[in-house]
């Protein structure tokens, strides 16, 4: 889930700052924070996260089909092709999510740096974005709970004479993908609320 637009740079060090006055600083600060918040909690980022998770689940489904088709030589050949195809889908999707998480860490650092430059009560209050945080938190929590339920219930209810080991592993893998995807969304929403409370709300009271 990499960001499609470039991130604002870090604010210049204090000794080389060239803002002509405080209003110019606040204007640049506002522009940078708005871009960073959009890059961190924008609806497009949530859509990309779920898209990459769906692609990863598709790849895992192909791997699961390969695992459950190993019955003879012919199906083993087909299973090997499905395995390669599944890995070919999973690896790029996993890398995209990893790059997105690295971008998120960079955005959180930039949010901290730009927020510490000064205080703007009106802008800082608008940056709270509780609705946007809930838009990430609620569906992510539901997905996280559903995935965790699958991971716990499936092995506990598997019929040893009917459900094979490969079927259980395949189902638990899908549940784990859902759980991790939801967990990423929950952590992002919680991290943003923590930043708002610590870097903006508390600082404004000083």
């Amino acid at each position: 889930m990499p960001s499609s637009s470039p991130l604002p740079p870090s604010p210049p060090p204090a000794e080389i700052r060239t803002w002509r006055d405080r209003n110019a600083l606040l204007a640049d600060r506002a522009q940078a924070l708005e871009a960073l918040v959009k890059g961190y909690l924008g609806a497009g980022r949530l859509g990309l996260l779920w898209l990459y998770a769906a692609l990863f689940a598709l790849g895992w489904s192909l791997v699961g089909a390969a695992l459950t088709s190993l019955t003879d030589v012919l199906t083993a050949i087909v299973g090997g092709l499905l395995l390669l195809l599944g890995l070919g889908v999973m690896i790029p999707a996993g890398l995209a999510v990893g790059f997105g998480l690295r971008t998120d860490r960079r955005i959180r650092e930039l949010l901290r740096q730009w927020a510490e430059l000064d205080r703007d009560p009106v802008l800082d209050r608008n940056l709270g974005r509780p609705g946007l945080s809930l838009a990430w938190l609620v569906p992510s929590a539901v997905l996280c709970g559903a995935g965790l339920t699958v991971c716990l219930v499936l092995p506990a209810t598997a019929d040893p004479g009917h459900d094979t080991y490969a079927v259980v592993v395949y189902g638990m893998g899908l549940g784990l993908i859902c759980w991790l995807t939801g967990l990423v969304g929950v952590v992002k929403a919680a991290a943003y609320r923590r930043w708002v409370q610590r870097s903006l709300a508390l600082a404004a009271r000083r």
Side-chain angles (χ1 to χ4, degrees):
M1 50 181 184
S3 178
S4 58
S5 57
L7 298 176
S10 298
E15 59 272 13
I16 61 172
R17 291 174 185 169
T18 58
W19 284 292
R20 63 180 183 273
D21 53 32
R22 183 169 180 265
N23 288 334
L25 184 152
L26 290 178
D28 285 350
R29 176 181 179 271
Q31 184 177 8
L33 289 178
E34 287 286 350
L36 290 169
V37 171
K38 182 179 179 181
Y40 190 70
L41 285 184
R45 293 297 304 279
L46 181 60
L48 282 177
L49 173 62
W50 284 45
L51 173 61
Y52 292 135
L55 290 175
F56 197 89
L58 174 62
W60 178 248
S61 297
L62 295 173
V63 172
L67 294 175
T68 56
S69 64
L70 301 179
T71 57
D72 53 40
V73 176
L74 179 59
T75 56
I77 296 175
V78 175
L81 294 175
L82 289 175
L83 178 63
L84 292 176
L85 183 59
L87 292 176
V89 175
M90 291 173 63
I91 292 174
L95 289 175
V97 173
F99 289 141
L101 294 177
R102 185 175 65 178
T103 300
D104 288 341
R105 288 195 296 269
R106 176 60 178 162
I107 289 177
R108 288 195 295 269
E109 177 62 21
L110 289 173
L111 282 171
R112 182 190 63 80
Q113 293 174 3
W114 280 99
E116 290 176 350
L117 279 180
D118 207 326
R119 302 300 164 195
D120 186 341
V122 175
L123 171 68
D124 293 352
R125 184 167 55 251
N126 292 336
L127 287 175
R129 308 289 173 84
L132 197 55
S133 298
L134 286 177
W136 273 80
L137 181 62
V138 174
S140 296
V142 172
L143 186 64
C144 191
L148 183 60
T149 300
V150 171
C151 289
L152 295 177
V153 172
L154 184 60
T157 58
D159 184 358
H162 181 266
D163 298 319
T164 64
Y165 178 77
V167 170
V168 174
V169 171
Y170 165 67
M172 290 184 64
L174 289 179
L176 183 61
I177 293 170
C178 292
W179 178 69
L180 290 176
T181 304
L183 186 62
V184 169
V186 169
V187 170
K188 284 191 63 168
Y192 185 75
R193 295 308 305 168
R194 184 167 60 250
W195 172 76
V196 169
Q197 294 172 357
R198 291 182 179 180
S199 298
L200 299 181
L202 295 180
R205 300 173 186 172
R206 295 174 183 172

